């Protein structure tokens, strides 16, 4: 008996599989440069053809992030952005008509500060379909997986090229999708990836029936196409966050705001393989 899934993310991956297409999954920092603009950018990303979104909770000590996302977090933290603010942003985007599955991306500390009971109570009624917590300690993952399951949200595991013998353990009991990190180090655009990244992705595919997505360093349509041919999803973060950073002067001026938003939309639209562009 197939379990009827109500999780928006799972349904999206099922639909994309039928279309024979990988998901384009942008990451953006919530509140960069401000919350109102984040809501406008979410609409542009959806119009550009994003299939789901990683909504990043800005954090003061983003250890796994390169300079682009570190700067975005610093800008966003100028206004007091908490996990709850990011959840409310997801709900507001839904109420404004977005149909995208939202993945809340946060480091573990902000979740602990909110309190696990409160966090999971809020997650579900804020339209969050997935969670990525890159620094979740292994010893906490069983409890977090249980809480996620009870809240009907997918706790998405990250696997790195060095995970090799631990892949089976990491992906067992996971849901949503498995996030393959393409390279070692921190986030940020790259011209090349970990040697043998295709073999690594292949080994993850063998270890799970879940959709497999890849991220870290992907910033051009050629790179998206390369990974979209072997994965179910491709995550692009820093390149989009940098685009937002570049157009902030346009966004800040009412006379040129729409031009700034259009440039973000066009940048993301050109990332998708030509044959699947909606624009
Ligand atoms: O920024 P990049 O190189 O395109 O990588 C995706 C990344 O932004 C996003 O998935 C993410 C942002 N911060 C992270 C920290 C760890 C793992 C993943 C992430």
């Amino acid at each position: 008996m197939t379990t009827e899934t109500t999780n928006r993310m799972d349904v999206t991956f099922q639909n994309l599989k039928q279309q024979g297409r990988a998901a384009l999954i942008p990451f953006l920092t919530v509140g960069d440069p401000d919350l109102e603009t984040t809501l406008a950018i979410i609409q542009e990303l959806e119009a550009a053809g994003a299939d789901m979104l990683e909504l990043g909770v800005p954090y003061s000590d983003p250890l796994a992030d390169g300079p682009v996302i570190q700067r975005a977090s610093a800008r966003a933290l100028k206004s007091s952005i908490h996990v709850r603010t990011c959840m409310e942003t997801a709900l507001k985007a839904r109420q404004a008509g977005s149909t995208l599955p939202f993945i809340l991306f946060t480091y573990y500390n902000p979740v602990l500060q909110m309190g696990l009971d409160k966090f999971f109570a809020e997650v579900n009624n804020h339209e969050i379909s997935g969670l990525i917590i890159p620094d979740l300690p292994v010893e906490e993952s069983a409890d977090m997986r249980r809480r996620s399951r009870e809240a009907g949200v997918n706790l998405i595991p990250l696997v790195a090229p060095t995970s090799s013998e631990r892949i089976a353990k990491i992906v067992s009991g996971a849901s949503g999708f498995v996030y393959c990190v393409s390279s070692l180090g921190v986030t940020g655009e790259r011209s090349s990836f970990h040697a043998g990244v295709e073999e690594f992705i292949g080994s993850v595919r063998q270890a799970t029936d879940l959709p497999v997505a890849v991220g870290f360093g992907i910033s051009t349509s050629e790179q998206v196409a390369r990974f979209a041919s072997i994965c179910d999803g491709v995550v692009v973060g820093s390149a989009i966050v940098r685009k937002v950073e570049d157009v902030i002067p346009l966004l800040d001026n009412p006379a040129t705001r729409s031009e700034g938003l259009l440039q973000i939309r066009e940048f993301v639209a050109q990332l998708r393989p030509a044959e699947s562009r909606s624009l």
Side-chain angles (χ1 to χ4, degrees):
M1 182 203 49
T2 53
T3 50
E4 188 58 39
T5 180
T6 56
N7 183 297
R8 192 181 284 262
M9 171 195 296
D10 301 343
V11 173
T12 297
F13 273 121
Q14 287 168 5
N15 294 340
L16 289 169
K17 190 176 175 75
Q18 283 160 12
Q19 297 169 32
R21 190 161 69 75
L24 176 62
I25 310 172
F27 165 92
L28 74 159
T29 300
V30 175
D32 176 35
D34 57 67
L35 285 173
E36 187 198 343
T37 305
T38 293
L39 283 168
I41 292 172
I42 288 172
Q43 290 185 343
E44 297 303 328
L45 296 179
E46 186 157 10
D51 296 295
M52 49 188 87
L53 280 186
E54 276 186 32
L55 298 178
V57 176
Y59 185 48
S60 52
D61 188 18
L63 287 175
D65 281 302
V68 172
I69 292 180
Q70 286 185 24
R71 288 198 301 269
S73 295
R75 284 193 299 270
L77 287 173
K78 288 196 188 103
S79 24
S80 59
I81 306 274
H82 302 291
V83 174
R84 182 191 296 278
T85 332
C86 300
M87 291 182 181
E88 286 161 359
T89 301
L91 186 57
K92 283 178 184 166
R94 184 73 74 233
Q95 290 164 343
S98 173
T99 60
L100 296 180
F102 298 128
I103 302 160
L104 190 72
F105 172 96
T106 178
Y107 286 89
Y108 193 40
N109 189 270
V111 175
L112 290 176
Q113 280 175 353
M114 186 173 180
L116 295 184
D117 292 341
K118 189 184 288 284
F119 176 80
F120 281 101
E122 297 288 332
V123 150
N124 208 329
N125 55 39
H126 283 84
E127 292 287 319
I128 301 295
S129 300
L131 297 174
I132 296 179
I133 308 177
D135 59 343
L136 178 64
V138 173
E139 58 276 5
E140 306 289 332
S141 57
D143 179 45
M144 292 293 279
R145 259 208 301 277
R146 174 183 60 78
R147 290 171 177 267
S148 300
R149 213 170 22 251
E150 287 166 4
V153 67
N154 293 319
L155 179 58
I156 294 149
L158 295 165
V159 285
T162 48
S163 301
S164 58
E165 68 284 351
R166 290 191 323 117
I167 289 176
K169 184 174 184 315
I170 294 170
V171 303
S172 70
S175 66
F177 66 89
V178 176
Y179 187 138
C180 293
V181 173
S182 74
S183 318
L184 303 180
V186 297
T187 59
E189 305 99 311
R190 285 165 168 79
S191 53
S192 64
F193 301 93
H194 183 75
V197 65
E198 273 86 357
E199 288 74 19
F200 159 57
I201 292 168
S203 62
V204 176
R205 272 207 172 293
Q206 283 167 8
T208 180
D209 293 332
L210 286 175
V212 171
V214 63
F216 265 55
I218 301 167
S219 60
T220 67
S221 58
E222 294 75 16
Q223 291 172 339
V224 169
R226 168 182 174 184
F227 289 112
S229 64
I230 55 172
C231 283
D232 305 298
V234 181
V235 179
V236 178
S238 298
I240 295 171
V241 174
R242 185 191 297 275
K243 190 63 189 175
V244 171
E245 183 178 55
D246 291 346
V247 303
I248 284 177
L250 296 175
L251 297 172
D252 284 350
N253 176 350
T256 54
R257 185 173 172 82
S258 53
E259 170 60 23
L261 291 171
L262 180 61
Q263 288 189 25
I264 294 169
R265 178 193 301 207
E266 288 174 341
F267 175 75
V268 176
Q270 59 81 34
L271 287 174
R272 286 181 55 147
E275 70 281 0
S276 71
R277 279 181 201 158
S278 54
L279 282 183

